[in-house]
Structure formats: structure tokens, C-alpha cells
Amino acid sequence: MPPMKSSAGSLDPQTRAEVLVQAIPYIQDFAGKTIVIKYGGGAMVNTSLMQSVMSDLLLLQLMGMRLVLVHGGGPFINRALEAIGHQSSWQDGLRVTDATTMQVAQEVLAGGVNKTLVRAVGAAGGQALGICGLDGCLLQAQKHRGPVDLGYVGDIESVNCRILHDGLDAGYMMVVASIAGSPAGDVYNVNADHAAAAIAAGCGAQKLILMTDVLGVLKDRSDPASLLSVLSQKDVPALIDAGIIQGGMIPKINCCLDALAGGVQQAHILDGTLPHAILLELLSDDGIGTMVI
């Protein structure tokens, strides 16, 4: 039977109480734990949806969870490059990053998108501290190795979590732009999924959550009902061989596996464009995305 609703369209008091009671064991489990969330895609571009996500994150923080929000901002970089008439190209899902593109990416991510998210947290009633991987040598990277030279694209080598722990201990939600540095002083554009996985593993997070524009892993990509709510690591190779995990989902799953190998307890892939997706995934029995264990 569907939940009863009031004439205003909100859940009736009994249903609200049941939802809150169902959340209690999850709140108890996650209170005091660090959760790393990669945020991007449609959930970032839509302003009203972004504000809703920030309110949901603030609620989790008020429940005692220590939150690190890692973000990219590809659409915003695209707009900035178009505005100056600079062309951008891609190779195997990674942006080829010349010196001009790197400068624009740093300005857009660390100076623009990052501070927009910090303001959104503040507008929701919380406090956030916005940094990028250069601050406190948080993310150290080396130039990406591959058959094609991608320019200033980096692979993360180490994570220095002291600045994150200091901010979390002081009660801030930490907002991290996916820019990294090298010991030689180079600046690199790094994939936000990879950055989130590295931070989660390096900083002892309980969970990694990748917010994307798809429901999760589907057995049948045309059937939302075929969502795999729980995915065991040991089943991943067979699902890739069968073509069930394919395309852009493969690197996301690999990020989850890297995080789990680094000590993270669970990793989640969910559709961040769905209202309150992160609350439903973390605080309900059924969840809403795919949890990799």
C-alpha cells in the first residue's frame, strides 16, 4: 500500500515517524564516521537540485557524519574555454589538458565551482571549508602515463589528509576541487572520481559515494528495475566480460574497487539527480543505487 499523504502532498505524520525510526540504526552506525562524496554531473548544473543536495548533506552532518565533498566541474570548464575560443579534446574519457586549459580548469574548479558549493552549504544553514588538492599538499600527482600524451592530466600518488581532518574536527564540511600538485611544482587536472576514491582510502573513510547521472549498475540498461542494489567485488570481472558493466561505468566501478582495497567499507554509485538520493541510499533499508562491497 502506498504511503498516505496529506492534502498538501507531504507524508502523513505516521509515515514520517516510520521513516525516521528506520533511519536510527544507520545514523548510529555512521555518526562520527567520515564519508567521501563525489559530486558532479546534472546534480551540479541544476541550481535548485544543487541546493537540495546541500541541504541533504547538511542533515547528514547534523547527524554526526564527517563529510568530504569532492567535485569536478566539466560543464563549467567547457563554458569557460568556449568563452575564450579555446578548443578542448578528449581521449579515453579524459580531457587533453594543455597549459591554457589547465589554467582555466584551476580557476574554474578551485575559484569558481568550489566557492559556489561553499556558498550553497552556507545558504542551507551549514559551514563549509573549500580547498583544492594543492592546499596543504592534499593531493600529490604525477603526469598521467599512457599511449597518448594528455598534457597536464595527473594520476594521484599520495594523499595528505591532515588539512581535511583539521577541518572536519573543527566542524566544517570539507569541499575539495579535483586539482593536484606535484613535488616539482606542476599542477594537474585529475579525475574527480579518482580523487574521491584516493581521499576515501587515504583518510580512512567509512564510505565512498559517487553521485552520477545513472541509477547504478543495471543488468539491463533499458530496465531500471534490473538495478543491482548490492554488488560483490568478486562478481565484477564476470559482469564486465558479459557487457553488463561497460563504457563509463567501468572506471567508476574501478574507483569503487580501489577505495575498498584501501580500507573503505562500502562504495556506492547512485543517481544524484533523483531528489534526496543520498538520504535514501544511506538511511533506508532498500537504498536507491548500487552498493559495492
Side-chain angles (χ1 to χ4, degrees):
M1 178 181 296
M4 294 175 60
K5 295 190 176 184
S6 70
S7 58
S10 59
L11 293 176
D12 72 285
Q14 179 64 34
T15 303
R16 291 181 196 174
E18 291 173 358
V19 169
L20 291 172
V21 169
Q22 187 182 111
I24 289 175
Y26 299 103
I27 297 171
Q28 291 173 325
D29 285 345
F30 303 145
K33 303 293 176 56
T34 299
I35 297 175
V36 176
I37 301 133
K38 183 268 180 173
Y39 178 63
M44 179 184 291
V45 174
N46 183 308
T47 302
S48 61
L49 183 56
M50 178 183 70
Q51 194 60 63
S52 175
V53 171
M54 296 306 111
S55 296
D56 290 348
L57 294 179
L58 176 60
L59 178 59
L60 295 177
Q61 188 182 36
L62 292 172
M63 292 175 179
M65 301 175 206
R66 295 158 58 90
L67 303 184
V68 179
L69 187 67
V70 181
H71 69 86
F76 302 99
I77 296 174
N78 292 342
R79 292 176 192 172
L81 290 173
E82 290 171 3
I84 63 172
H86 194 74
Q87 296 293 320
S88 186
S89 61
W90 297 80
Q91 181 70 36
D92 297 329
L94 297 174
R95 186 191 299 271
V96 178
T97 306
D98 61 13
T100 298
T101 302
M102 186 64 252
Q103 182 64 33
V104 169
Q106 182 175 341
E107 292 172 356
V108 168
L109 296 182
V113 176
N114 188 267
K115 303 318 172 192
T116 295
L117 294 175
V118 168
R119 290 198 304 272
V121 173
Q127 288 186 312
L129 186 60
I131 61 175
C132 74
L134 299 175
D135 297 312
C137 297
L138 171 61
L139 299 177
Q140 293 283 283
Q142 65 174 4
K143 183 179 173 66
H144 176 74
R145 297 191 181 99
V148 177
D149 186 353
L150 299 178
Y152 293 93
V153 173
D155 295 325
I156 296 172
E157 292 238 292
S158 64
V159 182
N160 177 7
C161 290
R162 179 176 177 180
I163 189 171
L164 292 180
H165 288 312
D166 287 348
L168 293 170
D169 290 345
Y172 292 100
M173 185 186 306
M174 300 302 293
V175 182
V176 181
S178 55
I179 299 292
S182 76
D186 295 314
V187 180
Y188 290 112
N189 185 18
V190 295
N191 179 276
D193 287 339
H194 296 165
I199 289 172
C203 299
Q206 174 82 5
K207 284 181 177 287
L208 167 68
I209 299 174
L210 302 181
M211 298 183 74
T212 182
D213 296 332
V214 296
L215 290 175
V217 178
L218 302 173
K219 287 185 177 180
D220 180 351
R221 297 178 69 185
S222 64
D223 181 10
S226 69
L227 176 72
L228 294 175
S229 297
V230 180
L231 174 60
S232 173
Q233 299 177 66
K234 64 181 177 61
D235 294 330
V236 168
L239 292 174
I240 292 177
D241 290 342
I244 293 173
I245 298 176
Q246 59 178 293
M249 185 58 69
I250 292 177
K252 292 186 182 298
I253 287 291
N254 286 337
C255 284
C256 292
L257 297 181
D258 289 343
L260 295 172
V264 177
Q265 296 301 302
Q266 298 104 17
H268 303 251
I269 299 173
L270 55 86
D271 187 351
T273 67
L274 297 176
H276 309 301
I278 195 166
L279 298 183
L280 293 169
E281 180 68 11
L282 290 183
L283 302 179
S284 70
D285 293 338
D286 296 329
I288 197 172
T290 295
M291 179 171 68
V292 186
I293 59 174

